[in-house]
Amino acid sequence: MALAKLPACIVTQFVSQPIAMPSINMRELRDTRRLKAWLRAGKTIELRERQDVVAGMVPAQRPARPERWPDFAHRRQKIFGQTSRIRS
């Protein structure tokens, strides 16, 4: 449904609601289950002391899988056979 077709009251309500970043205060920092769940979901978390933002926690980037290289020894053996054609 396009935004232009929605009634004005729904559009203003939809636009005016900000998407909140999860935040946690210093006492709630002990609840590591919720904290880990947010970080595993890829969410950035605000650490607050009362109303002030003290720090931000950003989830770690997972390392990319290493590129798989072809088996060059097997290819060489398949092309040239068991004996090596290189002379020393």
Side-chain angles (χ1 to χ4, degrees):
M1 194 187 255
L3 287 177
K5 295 181 182 180
L6 292 175
C9 61
I10 295 176
V11 173
T12 56
Q13 185 179 14
F14 177 74
V15 174
S16 66
Q17 291 178 351
I19 299 171
M21 180 183 306
S23 65
I24 194 166
N25 65 24
M26 296 296 243
R27 283 195 184 171
E28 293 174 334
L29 196 56
R30 295 178 188 164
D31 184 11
T32 57
R33 287 183 184 161
R34 184 170 54 162
L35 185 65
K36 286 185 212 176
W38 282 340
L39 290 172
R40 285 189 182 126
K43 295 182 180 180
T44 302
I45 303 167
E46 290 180 342
L47 180 60
R48 295 180 170 265
E49 187 172 21
R50 295 188 181 155
Q51 295 300 320
D52 301 327
V53 177
V54 177
M57 291 188 198
V58 180
Q61 297 291 328
R62 296 187 184 253
R65 288 187 170 182
E67 185 177 331
R68 187 171 177 202
W69 286 62
D71 186 7
F72 292 115
H74 179 70
R75 284 187 178 187
R76 183 192 54 170
Q77 184 180 4
K78 189 175 177 182
I79 294 170
F80 298 113
Q82 287 286 60
T83 59
S84 177
R85 298 192 187 241
I86 301 174
R87 295 183 185 175
S88 308

